[in-house]
Every structure is written in structure tokens, then in C-alpha cells.
Amino acid sequence: MMLQQVSAPHLRAGQSTEEIMLRVLLALVPGIIAMAHFFGAGVFTNIIGACIAAVLCESLCLRLRDRPLLLYLKDYSAVVTAVLLALALPPYSPWWLITIGTVAAIALAKHVFGGLGSNPFNPAMVGYVVLLISFPVQMTQWTAPSSLAANPGVWDSVLAMIGSEAYDAVTMATPLDLLKQNDGFMVSALWQQYPQFGRFSGVGWEWINLAFLAGGVWLLQQKIFTWHAPVGMLAVLGLMSALFYDGGSSSSGGSPLFHWLSGATMLGAFFIVTDPVSGATSNLGRLIFGALVGLLVYCIRVWGSYPDAVAFAVLLMNFAAPFIDYYTQPKPYGYQARDADK
Amino acid sequence: MIAEFAALLLATVLVNNFVLVQFLGLCPFMGVSNKVETAMGMSMATAFVLTLASGCSYLAYHFVLAPLNLEYLRTITFILVIAAVVQFTELLIRKTSPLLHRVLGVFLPLITTNCAVLGVALLNINKAHSFVESLWYGFGAALGFALVLVLFSAMRERLAAADVPAAFEGPAIGLIAAGLMSLAFMGFAGLV
């Protein structure tokens, strides 16, 4: 066993992992409420299912690795991963889908690499991408927002989760799907044609994104993360969509507001890109990391074959993060003078 | 014209990346990715050899094998061509730039066994690329190889310090990380 060496400033930050994770969960609440308002009880069954699977899987992994159970379960990192994954899944997902995703996230993406703090990829996003590639049909069926079709009730969502055949929900293409499959319509014509579009982006989606934005801003104010990564991502995403907006013509990629308030943009910008483990570590590095995530999100959304791209963009940049760190290491204090001698 | 070549480059570097999407050249990808510096040296050497070898094998196929109706000998011919190009590169670098030779030294002979080099030469024939396209395809493949090799080496330096369970240490965790990266690269599908 290696003895841990703690280097000089022995000041305590005053924030434990447990505290940070609890605040992240709290900041997710407005977004969860908004999602539940528009997509119904299926959001909660997703979250409950994922949390149970995550805690069980985490316990099993800790047991296999001979680590103290309570100490690690108490840091709530598994629960945060589970909630993030559950929010990314379509509401009313069956239990096996949730379980496979959670196991991929907790076991494959986290514990195999040495547990929390060593995982090079964001666990929730690994779980999501594994599911998206393995079960594309189940992963792309989004329920219609409540203002367009009645959502299934609580009992129906439980039935949906245990995979009962009796249950049927109204699914609709999401606004990002519609814009991607658009051929030959002006953006304004598209807006009139489909009821899924709202004021700026999709019905419901704009409020969900605003709610996640509110939670994210609160976390920023609490100094859980710095502004660099989210601002970098949103700025480049906005810049790209402004450049290719094309005045709303039939080949338009959508307006900046549409991209900011669609799909997983805000959830990604404030809860995924800011992951302190799998992202870049210096402030400059975070800015670059976020900016490139924004660029990739736009490119894959508009020119790739997947309608939303936050998960892929984040994984691709997780891959590049150690290299970004390699070139953006801040100079140690007092290093300047010796550097000038060279 | 320019758009076509840009699309070909984007396709070879990202969408059909030789290592993470087509699974070619995995031996150097796992073998020389322990340090960033060595990975960079290997990338540069591979880029040079790959571009040159894809051009040479194009010439060998279209001006020697095809006129003699010996197309079925292309695999063995290309292996020979690649080995010759590697030897030539080593001689050239040793005489012209001893410094570069010292940096690349060990990696040059290794490139002979890089299946991505042979893969590019054979794919060029299959896809009926022209001479310039062959060179460009080879360069794009090398660029894609370099990109993932260097990024992967930075990640492996970090993994070396991680508390990985004993069963997964070393190449095992490297392959798992590479698999997850390959998963992420599926996001590029359909870009070109």
C-alpha cells in the first residue's frame, strides 16, 4: 500500500465530497420538477430505479474490491451518477434498460478504473452511450410533453418500468429530431407545422433547460465549480449556431437560443462538463475543454447522425482532457524567475 | 475539389479512424502509448512512412503488378514495399538529421509491423483511389493514428497512477479505456 503524502498548504477546503454531491443533488431538483411536470411520473420511476441499481452495484463493487462499504456509499457519488443517467434516459424506461446503463456507469466506467477520482470518463455519460448504441429503439422514444398529450399516471409508469405489455405511451419526435430530419422547410414553417416547437425551442424543453440553468447558477454561486467550462461550452455552441443560423432558411442549423434551450444542453453544461474528475483541471484547461465540448455538440447535432450529442461530445473530450492538462499546467509559484534564465 | 479532399481527410481522421473505428494498428497503439513523448515520436515517424508507403504501393500496383497481371501478389508486394520504405526512411533520417534519428530511432523498424500501414495500402486499391488521393488517404490515416495515440498516451500516464484493481492493471485497463474511446468515436458516424 502506498502511504499518502499530503503536500504543503494544510488548509481544509471545508467541503467534503459528501457535501458537494448533496448540493449537486439539491441543484438538480428544479430541473427534475420541470421534467416531471412535462413528462410525468416516468421521470421519478427512472430516478428511483437508477438509484437502487446504482447503490446495489456500488456495494457489490466495493465488496469485491475490499473497500469499506459505508464510507464510500456515504459520499453520494453513485447516487449523483444514477440521477444524471436517469435524467438522460427517456421517461418510462423499463427496469432492465436502467439497470444495464447503471451497471455500465458504476462498474465499467468507475470501479474498473479505481473508483471515484480515477475514472477518466464521466460514468453517467458512459452508461448513456452504451445504452444508446446497444438499444437505439428504446433510447429514442421520448414521451410527448404533457401539454400535447396526456401523460400516463403513476400506476402506468410503474407498469412501464416492470416492462408490462399493457402499457402504451404517446411518443413524439423531439424538436432536435425534427430539425435534423427537416428537408426543405424554412425554420418558421417547421415551427408552424409541428406542435412540439415552443417559443424558443421545444415545448417543455425550454423550461426544463431553464430550470437546470437555475440549478447550475446556484452551484456556481456556491463555488462548487468555476465558470470556465460551462461558459466555454455555451459560448462556442452559441457562436457556432449563430454562424450557421443562415437566417432560418431550410438548411439552417437552428438559432443559438434553440440550441441553448434544447435537449441536454444546460444539464450538460452545468452538471456533466463540470465533473471535477473526468474534465480538465486548470482554469484555462477547463475553458478549452468546455469550448471543444460546445463545438462537438454543435457538429454532431447538425451534421452527425445523432440528434443530441452532449454525451458523445463529453466522452470525446474526456478522452482529450489529460492531454489538455499536459499543456495547460499552471506554473508553480516562484517558477517565473528560473524560467527567464533559460 | 478542395471540399472533396477535406471530406476525405475528415473521414479518415475521425469518422473512420484507423485505430478506434477500423481497429488497425492496435499493437503500436497499446505498445508505445506509455509516455506522451514517445507517442509523439512514433506518430511523426508513422506519418512519414504511411504517406510515403501508400504512394509507393500505389506505383508498385499500377505500374508493376497490374501490367503483369500479378494483382494477386499485392499483399506480399506491399509488405516488401513497406519494409523497403521503412529502411529507406531510417537511412535518410540517419544521414540528414541525427537528432531526429535519435528521437525516432527505436520506432522506425517497428512501423514495418504496423498493420495500419498495410491496411491503408490495400484499402487504397480497394477504393480505387488516384495517386494523389492515395497519398492524402495515407496522410489522413497517419493523422488519425497520431491523434488517438497521443491523446491515449496522456490518458495512460494518468491511468498508471490510478488505484486500478489488480486484475485490470496494465494493458487490460488500457484496452477497456480504448474500448470506451471507440464507443465515443461512434458519435462521429454520419459526419461525412
Side-chain angles (χ1 to χ4, degrees), chain A residues 50-51 54-55 58 72-73 75-83 106 110:
Chain A
C51 285
V55 170
E58 174 100 351
Y72 284 97
L73 277 180
D75 69 14
Y76 293 102
S77 64
V79 177
V80 169
T81 300
V83 173
I106 301 284
K110 198 168 88 176

Side-chain angles (χ1 to χ4, degrees), chain A residues 67 114 303 305 319 323 325-326, chain B residues 37 150 158 163 165 181 189-190:
Chain A
R67 295 291 192 275
W303 299 301
S305 43
F319 176 23
F323 188 71
D325 278 350
Y326 202 83
Chain B
E37 279 89 7
V150 171
R158 192 173 280 189
D163 177 26
M181 282 175 208

